Amino acid sequence: MSETPPVRAKENFLVFGSPALEQAEIDEVVACLQSRWIGTGPRTAQFERDFAAYKGVASAAALHSCTAALHLSLLALNLKPGDEVITTPLTFCATVNAILHAGAVPVLADIDPATLNIDPAEVLGKVTPQTRAILPVHFAGRPCDMDALLAIAEGHDLAVIEDCAHAIETTYHGQKAGTFGDFGCFSFYVTKNIITGEGGMVIAKRSEDLARIKVLGLHGMSADAWKRFGDEGYKHYMVVEAGFKYNMMDLQAALGIHQLPRVDAYHVRREQVWAAYDAAFADLPAGKRLGLPAPQEPNTLHARHLYTVLVDEETSGIGRDAFLTAMTKQGIGVGVHYLSLPEHPYYRERLGWRPEDFPQAMRIGRQTVSLPISARLTDVDVADVITAVRRVLRVE
Ligand SMILES: Cc1ncc(COP(=O)(O)O)c(C=O)c1O
């Protein structure tokens, strides 16, 4: 008996998170190479200005990654050993690694199972005299409950660092994500809403913090050290701190300066994909159902970075890991965002974390699957994803 062929043949595999890229980026990278100024320089400076304008802030610092942005923001808080930073168990490992690299103790507060964001009531329960900061992640691009989190921060004199890796476009009560906290950290990694390959950006409430982050991101050399190779006459740099090599290259910024003007158009496309998935999966038959993302909350803008469904063996008729394998066999790339952090051996051993202590994040982490939602998807790609999901669930 011949098996039904997969929805997409191997050579046509739909890569999860494959980014939209256009000719302007390709031309700019070539122009950047031809200029022979490929390291940090004028294109990086332009991307910083453009991003700051998009966010409506005075300035921004481009870095090599969001991980670097989180690390330097935490360092700028001058944390002491034993200081605690509260964050979510449902995030990428970089969020917590940055806290550890800053010499502080990460403390987890469980999520709200509807929004998948950190639950302010859980945060409040984790505040101790050692707590110095809250590090909320706007999961999938859905804004956290910033009113509640800011009230806790204010009441306990805590800093706030927003992990906006998924949330470039996100707004909450009319205000842009990244502008609530002391710092907002963004990612332009290849799967993100706009991309520079690797890349990150940080914005800060206080200009002196941002200036320090710029210095820390380039070896601790005094401001604008990259200009020393320019035509304005040789400038000596002074090392004022032991910094890091976290600067963005112009080769990366060459992508960013063309991606950023399309950020809203790409968001519109992801909204369409989101609506198509919502419609296709809303009325699956009993026993073959998926948990779907909650609707966008009033007076907020969801950045639609991840479309996550919950696959529960009891209500879906298939386990999560079997679903992942079956989708891949159908030629559709899928993701997991995320196994809850206490599932990983390093954190269990070093920090004594146990998944069952964060039951909401544990359950979601064991059931969640991210379907493709890049702005690059065509209508045929979206239809193929839907067909593959129906086949995997054995919906006739
Ligand atoms: C929630 C979250 N935080 C931080 C990061 C780190 O971003 P980057 O890869 O730019 O360092 C990511 C990236 O995947 C992320 O998803």
Side-chain angles (χ1 to χ4, degrees):
M1 218 177 68
S2 66
E3 242 182 67
T4 325
V7 174
R8 308 268 290 216
K10 226 184 190 120
E11 57 279 10
N12 198 19
F13 187 86
L14 187 66
V15 176
F16 180 85
S18 179
L21 269 178
E22 298 182 30
Q23 191 59 40
E25 286 88 309
I26 295 167
D27 293 344
E28 192 73 40
V29 167
V30 171
C32 180
L33 288 169
Q34 283 169 337
S35 79
R36 298 319 194 255
W37 193 308
I38 61 178
T40 305
R43 286 179 172 83
T44 305
Q46 184 189 335
F47 188 36
E48 287 174 336
R49 284 194 301 275
D50 294 352
F51 192 84
Y54 173 74
K55 282 286 168 190
V57 297
S59 50
L63 297 169
H64 186 71
S65 65
C66 181
T67 306
L70 290 166
H71 184 202
L72 297 187
S73 300
L74 285 152
L75 288 180
L77 296 180
N78 298 316
L79 301 169
K80 298 183 304 303
D83 283 352
E84 296 174 358
V85 178
I86 301 176
T87 192
T88 167
L90 197 72
T91 183
F92 189 52
C93 56
T95 313
V96 149
N97 290 347
I99 299 171
L100 290 169
H101 291 316
V105 180
V107 172
L108 299 180
D110 208 355
I111 57 164
D112 173 333
T115 64
L116 311 186
N117 277 327
I118 197 165
D119 180 344
E122 294 287 328
V123 172
L124 196 53
K126 294 298 175 82
V127 174
T128 73
Q130 282 72 48
T131 310
R132 293 287 169 272
I134 310 174
L135 204 173
V137 177
H138 302 295
F139 182 89
R142 183 190 301 277
C144 292
D145 182 349
M146 292 313 295
D147 282 349
L149 292 175
L150 292 174
I152 296 169
E154 208 168 300
H156 296 84
D157 197 18
L158 308 177
V160 174
I161 298 175
E162 296 175 68
D163 182 334
C164 302
H166 304 173
I168 294 173
E169 308 88 339
T170 301
T171 66
Y172 173 86
H173 299 180
Q175 191 177 333
K176 293 191 175 180
T179 66
F180 291 90
D182 299 271
F183 301 93
C185 302
F186 299 84
S187 174
F188 311 118
Y189 174 64
V190 286
T191 59
K192 294 299 192 281
N193 294 352
I194 61 165
I195 66 123
T196 59
E198 299 287 355
M201 192 76 78
V202 56
I203 57 178
K205 194 147 273 172
R206 289 171 296 275
S207 58
E208 58 273 26
D209 284 341
L210 197 67
R212 182 160 175 228
I213 282 177
K214 284 199 172 196
V215 169
L216 278 172
L218 192 60
H219 303 292
M221 301 194 298
S222 50
D224 285 345
W226 61 270
K227 285 189 183 160
R228 68 191 183 281
F229 300 120
D231 59 4
E232 295 168 27
Y234 190 86
K235 290 197 171 80
H236 287 285
Y237 61 84
M238 293 285 121
V239 175
V240 293
E241 288 205 64
F244 298 83
K245 191 74 199 294
Y246 281 168
N247 50 309
M248 179 178 277
M249 296 172 73
D250 271 20
L251 264 183
Q252 297 165 292
L255 303 177
I257 56 183
H258 292 283
Q259 288 262 303
L260 186 58
R262 285 187 226 118
V263 66
D264 294 326
Y266 287 166
H267 180 255
V268 167
R269 177 59 187 154
R270 294 195 311 278
E271 289 262 11
Q272 291 166 351
V273 177
W274 187 287
Y277 289 160
D278 266 358
F281 306 138
D283 53 1
L284 291 167
K288 298 172 182 209
R289 295 216 168 107
L290 297 173
L292 300 187
Q296 176 172 274
E297 287 81 10
N299 202 10
T300 70
L301 186 81
H302 189 307
R304 312 294 190 198
H305 174 60
L306 296 171
Y307 189 91
T308 60
V309 294
L310 296 182
V311 183
D312 176 354
E313 184 122 36
E314 272 182 31
T315 50
S316 310
I318 182 170
R320 193 274 303 275
D321 288 0
F323 184 95
L324 291 170
T325 305
M327 285 295 287
T328 310
K329 276 199 184 140
Q330 288 296 330
I332 306 293
V334 281
V336 172
H337 301 90
Y338 301 92
L339 278 181
S340 75
L341 290 177
E343 303 271 12
H344 298 285
Y346 180 77
Y347 306 119
R348 282 208 306 267
E349 283 156 26
R350 174 162 172 185
L351 300 160
W353 289 348
R354 301 181 311 168
E356 56 272 29
D357 292 338
F358 309 93
Q360 305 296 355
M362 179 181 73
R363 179 179 64 81
I364 302 289
R366 292 178 182 182
Q367 295 181 348
T368 190
V369 174
S370 302
L371 301 178
I373 192 171
S374 161
R376 187 174 179 218
L377 297 185
T378 64
D379 289 349
V380 171
D381 294 333
V382 175
D384 285 349
V385 174
I386 292 168
T387 304
V389 168
R390 290 175 70 86
R391 270 203 205 169
V392 167
L393 293 172
R394 298 182 185 282
V395 178
E396 301 316 319

